[in-house]
Amino acid sequence: MVVDNRAVDIVGLKARHPLGDAVEAAGVVLRGKGRVRQGVCPFHEESEGSFTVYADTEKFWCFGCEAGGDVLDFVGRMEGLTLPETIRRLDDGSAAVVSTANRPSPARPTASATLPPRDPALLTAAARFYGGQLRRSGVARDYLASRGIGLDAAIRLGLGFAPGHGLRERLQASGFTGQVLRDSGLFLEGGRERFAGTITVPDVASGRARWLTGRAVQPNARPRFQALPGPKPVLGQARLGPAASCVIVAEGVFDWLSLTAWGYPAVAALGTQGMDKVASALRGCPRVFLAFDNDDVGHKAAEALKQLLGNRAAVVNLPEGIADVSELATRPNGQPLFRRLLARAARCAR
């Protein structure tokens, strides 16, 4: 690219300014040390940490406001610069970004204070619409089957598929209109459906959907995951009942789906942050098994939660080469193997 009548090596420029360094220099605290790191988005009001940095692609994406791009996009957006101005800023040898860590800033309201309350009736109607679409979509059913989730389990868990059209009309026909739809979180700017192209997973309490997340069916779709903005639940907690004798805590949505499809009482932490919230949600359960992802971040999260839960907790160690429970579910012997791993964890905890 030519800037100021001179050629600029954009690839080399990006290599000299890793995205993670630029993000942290801007005052965003990134959690984790692996391929995926997360923090609170600097571009919109939130408290959950939807801002995600991918080390392998040097790209960022916010699941809350849908901001995304590379280090040039990040710096330009943070400082209100044009692309040539951003290139000059990075190419002149100065710091990647003028740090905002020490700048005084007004207090930011929490997500719960800025977002309107969710309407369970509306979310339940949306989940039912998506459930009907799943029955009609061979592509969605095939995707679930490839992940070890059969149609019977999908129906039992309230899973759905969002084709990207038809939801607004269905909700309007059910009496949901105007500001209620705008506040629902189901639609993005311009009216596009948030969960278009995803398998939808509701968090259900007393038969009503209280929250929704989605996972893209197409492997090249970005973002791969979507969720309603605002605080995340401990997914599946309401399904346990008041007197669960044991529960398995998984890290991700499809880990939880696999365990629940196998018939285990399970919840999903939905990441590796907020283990205190997970511990609080499980305070009445006498036995907790931790089946987090088989990587450094997952191991550390499991250890942190184990420390909070004390002797009630035991770690389920996945075999080498198996990334997570959802991958295990795709193996022919996945379910019996997990049963043995669970029994081993129980013996070691005695």
Side-chain angles (χ1 to χ4, degrees):
M1 182 173 180
V2 176
V3 177
D4 296 337
N5 296 318
R6 60 188 178 88
V8 177
D9 178 6
I10 297 296
V11 174
L13 183 66
K14 292 180 182 180
R16 294 194 300 274
H17 296 278
L19 175 59
D21 292 349
V23 170
E24 291 183 315
V28 179
V29 177
L30 293 176
R31 298 180 292 270
K33 296 182 179 179
R35 184 184 68 84
V36 180
R37 304 173 69 193
Q38 291 184 306
V40 174
C41 182
F43 303 129
H44 80 291
E45 303 286 357
E46 68 156 353
S47 62
E48 284 296 299
S50 303
F51 185 85
T52 307
V53 173
Y54 300 93
D56 52 351
T57 61
E58 286 289 306
K59 296 292 183 65
F60 72 90
W61 178 263
C62 177
F63 292 95
C65 69
E66 294 200 312
D70 57 18
V71 67
L72 296 175
D73 298 304
F74 178 82
V75 174
R77 185 161 184 158
M78 280 296 296
E79 301 197 14
L81 304 175
T82 65
L83 179 57
E85 289 170 339
T86 302
I87 292 172
R88 283 194 291 269
R89 170 62 63 87
L90 295 179
D91 199 35
D92 66 3
S94 63
V97 183
V98 177
S99 175
T100 60
N102 298 319
R103 295 179 186 171
S105 59
R108 291 165 53 144
T110 63
S112 59
T114 59
L115 292 173
R118 299 182 185 120
D119 183 348
L122 183 149
L123 295 183
T124 301
R128 288 173 178 167
F129 170 77
Y130 291 144
Q133 296 301 311
L134 176 64
R135 293 172 176 83
R136 298 181 180 91
S137 174
V139 172
R141 295 197 306 273
D142 289 346
Y143 174 78
L144 285 173
S146 75
R147 303 295 298 265
I149 309 294
L151 182 59
D152 288 345
I155 293 172
R156 175 166 54 87
L157 294 171
L159 305 191
F161 173 67
H165 55 82
L167 176 63
R168 183 181 297 275
E169 292 76 13
R170 173 62 63 85
L171 293 177
Q172 288 174 335
S174 300
F176 301 104
T177 59
Q179 193 64 40
V180 173
L181 289 182
R182 289 191 289 273
D183 289 343
S184 69
L186 294 169
F187 302 95
L188 303 171
E189 289 186 18
R192 187 164 61 91
E193 293 183 18
R194 178 180 295 275
F195 295 104
T198 71
I199 296 292
T200 58
V201 183
D203 188 48
V204 177
S206 302
R208 306 180 86 190
R210 304 301 179 103
W211 184 78
L212 279 172
T213 186
R215 206 284 188 189
V217 169
Q218 298 300 328
N220 296 325
R222 292 294 182 272
R224 289 193 305 157
F225 297 95
Q226 273 287 5
L228 289 178
K232 297 178 292 186
V234 177
L235 183 60
Q237 179 188 358
R239 293 179 179 271
L240 297 177
S245 60
C246 72
V247 63
I248 303 171
V249 183
E251 184 172 327
V253 172
F254 269 83
D255 303 321
W256 174 74
L257 289 175
S258 298
L259 292 169
T260 308
W262 287 341
Y264 290 111
V267 298
L270 298 176
T272 57
Q273 305 299 317
M275 292 302 104
D276 52 343
K277 181 174 72 174
V278 179
S280 177
L282 301 176
R283 60 182 177 273
C285 187
R287 172 61 72 190
V288 182
F289 295 95
L290 311 179
F292 280 68
D293 289 3
N294 195 11
D295 56 22
D296 289 343
V297 177
H299 296 160
K300 289 178 180 178
E303 184 58 33
L305 184 53
K306 188 174 186 298
Q307 292 294 322
L308 291 169
L309 294 170
N311 294 333
R312 295 186 291 141
V315 175
V316 179
N317 294 304
L318 298 177
E320 184 177 354
I322 299 293
D324 50 33
V325 173
S326 68
E327 180 181 341
L328 188 63
T330 65
R331 303 297 178 93
N333 64 337
Q335 186 173 357
L337 176 54
F338 185 83
R339 190 183 306 120
R340 293 195 295 272
L341 297 172
L342 191 62
R344 181 186 303 169
R347 289 194 301 270
C348 293
R350 291 173 184 168

